[in-house]
Amino acid sequence: YRLFNGDVRSYVRRHGGTDEDAWDVFQDFTAEFLQRIEENKLSFAGYEGPFGAVVMRGAKFIWLRRFRKAEYRTTTVGL
């Protein structure tokens, strides 16, 4: 957590989120990551990069998914 949450928080804040959003994204990433490992749906075969890159890629995906959902809700409500 200490190694990667600062990077996730910085990314989320730069892209319109709050510290609370960043915490939620980090928690969601952790839960999805552990679930995929448990279900054997995650493979690092041939991957030699840093684990932080895996965390950031997953966190970015989760944040963009959340942001788009929230943006969709706010843009369609006024129709």
Side-chain angles (χ1 to χ4, degrees):
Y1 169 78
R2 291 181 193 150
L3 292 175
F4 306 115
N5 190 50
D7 293 337
V8 172
R9 185 176 63 227
S10 294
Y11 177 82
V12 170
R13 289 178 71 184
R14 278 194 317 265
H15 291 88
T18 65
D19 285 344
E20 186 175 321
D21 293 330
W23 174 252
D24 290 343
V25 167
F26 191 79
Q27 292 297 319
D28 289 351
F29 167 77
T30 303
E32 284 186 35
F33 184 78
L34 293 174
Q35 180 181 3
R36 288 180 188 210
I37 288 175
E38 190 175 273
E39 296 171 353
N40 289 324
K41 293 183 177 180
L42 187 65
S43 172
F44 290 105
Y47 180 76
E48 296 180 9
F51 184 68
V54 174
V55 173
M56 284 306 299
R57 185 173 185 169
K60 286 178 183 180
F61 177 78
I62 291 169
W63 173 248
L64 290 173
R65 186 173 58 198
R66 275 180 175 229
F67 187 76
R68 287 179 184 142
K69 267 186 180 178
E71 187 176 76
Y72 176 77
R73 279 196 305 262
T74 58
T75 57
T76 57
V77 169
L79 295 178

